Amino acid sequence: SYVLTQPPSVSVAPGQTARITCGGNNIGSKSVHWYQQKPGQAPVLVVYDDSDRPSGIPERFSGSNSGNTATLTISRVEAGDEADYYCQVWDSSSDRPWVFGGGTKLTVL
Amino acid sequence: QVQLVESGGGVVQPGGSLRLSCAASGFTFSSYGMHWVRQAPGKGLEWVAFIRYDGSNKYYADSVKGRFTISRDNSKNTLYLQMNSLRAEDTAVYYCAKDLYEQQLADYWGQGTLVTVSS
C-alpha cells in the first residue's frame, strides 16, 4: 500500500518560514491535502489539491508538490500555528483509499 | 456554518458493540458523502469508512471490514457508525467528516467522540 513519510518534528522561530515535507513514491502525480490539528481539537483542512486554500485559511499557508515530495509552507509563522500537521492523499487502487502521513509536530520557538 | 456533532462514544468491553452518531447542520447533508476517521490516543489519523451522499456505496478500511457498518439517514441529517466485535485496538477518538468531492478529502470535521474498549 502507498506510504507517506513526514518528519516527526519541525521547529521554527516566530516570523520565520516553516516547511513541512511529505514524501511518497511519485507523489507529484497525486493530489495532496494538508490538515492542521491543535491539541484536543479536530483536524482543519489548510491546503487541498497541492496548493489551494479553503476560505478562511490565511495566505501564509501554501503548498507545492513535485516528484517524490510535497511541501506545506507556512510563512511568517505565529505562535498560534503550533500544531500537528498531516498530509493525505487518495489512493483509489488501495484497500485503504485515504492515506495519511504520520504527522509533523510544528514547534514555534 | 457547517456543524458536525458526534455522540455515542463510551467504554465498552472487548467483543461488545457501540453505535456512533453524527448530527450534521449548516449544509445540504443529502448532497455530500461522509467519512469516519479515527485517532488512537497519541497516534495519527486513520480513515475508517465512507458513504456516498445517497448511501448507495460504502467503503471500509480492512481493519474494520465485516465488523463496522456505516449508514446515514438523510431525513434526519445524521450519519451513523455501528461498531461490533470491538477490540482493544479500536480504542480511539472517532471523527465524522464531510467529503469535499469524490471521496478524496474532507473539508469539515466534527469534534470527535472517544471510544474506549477495555475490560
Side-chain angles (χ1 to χ4, degrees):
Chain A
S1 60
Y2 196 74
V3 176
L4 295 175
T5 302
Q6 297 182 238
S9 63
V10 168
S11 299
V12 64
Q16 300 303 303
T17 297
R19 294 179 179 84
I20 299 172
T21 59
C22 177
N25 185 34
N26 197 26
I27 195 173
S29 66
K30 301 181 181 295
S31 291
V32 180
H33 319 298
W34 292 90
Y35 301 92
Q36 174 195 68
Q37 186 180 33
K38 297 181 180 179
Q41 297 187 21
V44 172
L45 182 67
V46 292
V47 167
Y48 67 100
D49 287 351
D50 299 338
S51 58
D52 289 337
R53 274 177 293 104
S55 60
I57 300 301
E59 291 183 8
R60 301 185 297 104
F61 289 82
S62 62
S64 63
N65 183 19
S66 178
N68 292 320
T69 305
T71 303
L72 173 69
T73 301
I74 309 172
S75 305
R76 302 181 299 282
V77 166
E78 303 174 355
D81 298 331
E82 188 163 286
D84 292 325
Y85 291 85
Y86 294 90
C87 59
Q88 179 243 319
V89 300
W90 183 65
D91 184 9
S92 60
S93 63
S94 172
D95 57 354
R96 185 168 49 97
W98 274 25
V99 181
F100 287 100
T104 298
K105 169 67 176 178
L106 175 66
T107 299
V108 182
L109 301 170
Chain B
Q1 72 279 21
V2 173
Q3 277 200 310
L4 299 168
V5 180
E6 301 93 337
S7 61
V11 180
V12 61
Q13 292 188 340
S17 298
L18 214 53
R19 188 176 86 154
L20 307 183
S21 299
C22 169
S25 61
F27 66 104
T28 304
F29 180 73
S30 58
S31 296
Y32 290 90
M34 296 293 295
H35 301 264
W36 285 101
V37 180
R38 68 184 180 183
Q39 187 172 34
K43 302 298 184 181
L45 300 169
E46 180 189 15
W47 174 83
V48 173
F50 170 80
I51 185 169
R52 285 194 65 192
Y53 68 98
D54 58 359
S56 60
N57 289 93
K58 307 172 186 181
Y59 304 92
Y60 300 92
D62 269 4
S63 56
V64 306
K65 201 173 292 184
R67 300 187 300 123
F68 290 11
T69 302
I70 188 172
S71 63
R72 64 191 298 159
D73 186 336
N74 285 344
S75 68
K76 296 182 178 179
N77 289 348
T78 303
L79 175 73
Y80 302 101
L81 185 68
Q82 177 66 44
M83 304 186 295
N84 299 331
S85 303
L86 282 161
R87 307 166 179 167
E89 55 265 35
D90 296 319
T91 295
V93 174
Y94 285 74
Y95 297 100
C96 66
K98 171 185 166 290
D99 190 61
L100 180 57
Y101 64 82
E102 297 179 3
Q103 191 184 335
Q104 295 191 32
L105 74 155
D107 55 350
Y108 290 96
W109 299 58
Q111 285 302 306
T113 187
L114 176 62
V115 173
T116 303
V117 184
S118 174
S119 55

